[in-house]
Amino acid sequence: MAAVKAPAIITDKAQMRQWSRSMRAQGKSIGLVPTMGYLHEGHLSLIREAHKHTHLIVVSVYVNPGQFSPNEDLSTYPSDFDGDIKKIMSVPGGADVVFHPHNLYDYGKSGIESEMKREKDGVIVSCVEDRGMGHETWVRVDRLEKGMCGKSRPVFFRGVATVVSKLFNIVEPDVAVFGKKDYQQWRIIRRMVRDLDFAVTVIGSEIVRGDDGLAMSSRNVHLSPNEREKALSISKSLSKAKYAAEKGQINCTELRNSVIQAIHEAGGRVDYAEIVDQESLEAVEEIKVPVVFCIAAWFGKVRLIDNMEINL
């Protein structure tokens, strides 16, 4: 089998846009796989999915400060860019471009202060917010962002929607592929694209799990072997809840309690456990429509998310 060619690495916004437009002028379609780097098999599955839909693939590698509040883990987010390139090249067809901008919020003025701002007057701010010439335009998907992860991370989805909008405007893809492990994020991006008439088809790719069943995440590297073993209670309890629902247990309170209990008994701390409508993300009391059971839980200092769709 022929070796996969190394992708072109583009760091400049204008150059990225120029590349996309020149490819489209040649009749080529473009797929975008947005990532924050430190790639794992879950990310590589998104690249493989993108190859099914477009001629050319762009993988963005950018740790987005806009989705972190000052007390979150931006500075400790893992990074291995050289390793990311090798992993991308391990996928049949690889990627044509890796878009690796330095700072999508640097506008060449006094702009953004280097120091993270602390919570001011009780209002959570993003790391990139600043007075004067700082970034101040944000995209919000009001209702879908409020529940689940939005409760404990109030600027997270605002930052995600904004940076994805920026990436769409810079890369100008025909298709974008997102992992369904981040289920709320996937639904928010789909709604944003619908509401703002982006000419992008958003595809959700299924969760990729390790051999032990743990959903793949860049944060898994921070789990000790003992914590990882305990964290398996998330996927195991979700699977049991799905099986129970398929056997007729449709009371959501009882299903939620069973999962919460299993995670607590394993030593985890539940952030949320919600059974919601797959489209609206509104909580349901009984499973009468397609739902998704979404979990966020802490094991040690690592916050993990997972979910399981239930289609009766």
Side-chain angles (χ1 to χ4, degrees):
M1 185 174 67
V4 176
K5 185 174 68 173
I9 298 173
I10 297 178
T11 60
D12 180 72
K13 292 185 287 188
Q15 185 182 352
M16 182 69 253
R17 186 179 288 114
Q18 182 181 20
W19 180 89
S20 293
R21 292 182 178 181
S22 66
M23 292 301 105
R24 184 166 289 105
Q26 298 174 33
K28 304 292 187 180
S29 58
I30 299 168
L32 171 65
V33 178
T35 82
M36 296 216 299
Y38 209 73
L39 305 185
H40 50 68
E41 180 56 33
H43 296 110
L44 303 187
S45 74
L46 304 183
I47 299 173
R48 286 192 287 269
E49 180 66 29
H51 273 291
K52 300 176 184 178
H53 304 278
T54 59
H55 299 110
L56 303 171
I57 306 298
V58 176
V59 176
S60 63
V61 175
Y62 180 64
V63 180
N64 171 37
Q67 66 196 57
F68 291 83
S69 62
N71 63 339
E72 290 183 321
D73 57 353
L74 172 64
S75 63
T76 61
Y77 199 88
S79 175
D80 179 15
F81 185 69
D82 291 340
D84 290 343
I85 298 299
K86 292 177 182 177
K87 289 175 182 177
I88 290 169
M89 292 177 63
S90 74
V91 177
D96 299 277
V97 169
V98 170
F99 180 45
H100 185 46
H102 171 63
N103 185 355
L104 289 179
Y105 300 89
D106 182 359
Y107 304 108
K109 300 285 186 178
S110 57
I112 303 155
E113 295 174 344
S114 60
E115 295 185 2
M116 294 182 181
K117 297 178 70 177
R118 294 296 159 188
E119 185 172 333
K120 181 179 180 181
D121 299 327
V123 177
I124 300 294
V125 297
S126 163
C127 294
V128 304
E129 288 184 83
D130 188 19
R131 60 186 178 274
M133 297 300 295
H135 186 91
E136 59 177 332
T137 303
W138 301 97
V139 179
R140 308 206 72 146
V141 183
D142 285 340
R143 185 172 51 77
L144 292 186
E145 74 171 37
K146 289 181 179 177
M148 296 189 289
C149 284
K151 291 181 180 178
S152 58
R153 305 188 70 189
V155 304
F156 178 73
F157 289 120
R158 183 191 73 169
V160 168
T162 300
V163 81
V164 171
S165 296
K166 290 168 77 69
L167 289 170
F168 286 176
N169 284 330
I170 295 165
V171 179
E172 298 182 344
D174 300 281
V175 170
V177 182
F178 292 81
K180 289 170 73 172
K181 180 178 75 72
D182 301 287
Y183 200 92
Q184 187 175 13
Q185 171 180 284
W186 171 58
R187 287 297 186 186
I188 284 172
I189 297 304
R190 282 176 60 90
R191 187 65 58 86
M192 178 192 78
V193 163
R194 185 201 73 177
D195 291 354
L196 298 183
D197 293 308
F198 279 103
V200 182
T201 299
V202 177
I203 294 173
S205 191
E206 298 301 325
I207 295 174
V208 175
R209 300 182 180 278
D211 292 338
D212 56 8
L214 188 68
M216 289 197 172
S217 169
S218 299
R219 288 187 167 89
N220 290 353
V221 68
H222 296 303
L223 292 168
S224 69
N226 184 49
E227 288 168 344
R228 184 183 178 104
E229 181 66 28
K230 292 179 177 180
L232 298 181
S233 60
I234 299 175
S235 58
K236 289 178 179 178
S237 61
L238 281 175
S239 294
K240 289 180 179 178
K242 180 177 181 178
Y243 179 79
E246 291 171 345
K247 293 299 181 181
Q249 172 56 280
I250 62 171
N251 183 286
C252 293
T253 298
E254 295 178 8
L255 293 171
R256 288 177 63 252
N257 288 343
S258 68
V259 170
I260 291 171
Q261 180 180 350
I263 293 173
H264 283 167
E265 289 177 352
R269 177 165 56 89
V270 175
D271 184 357
Y272 64 79
E274 299 286 350
I275 300 175
V276 300
D277 180 282
Q278 289 182 14
E279 289 284 345
S280 69
L281 302 186
E282 293 180 352
V284 299
E285 296 181 2
E286 291 187 340
I287 301 177
K288 298 179 180 179
V289 297
V291 299
V292 58
F293 196 151
C294 297
I295 295 287
W298 293 85
F299 283 88
K301 296 181 179 180
V302 184
R303 182 180 182 273
L304 301 173
I305 62 172
D306 201 347
N307 67 78
M308 200 160 289
E309 292 179 322
I310 302 175
N311 301 293
L312 301 185

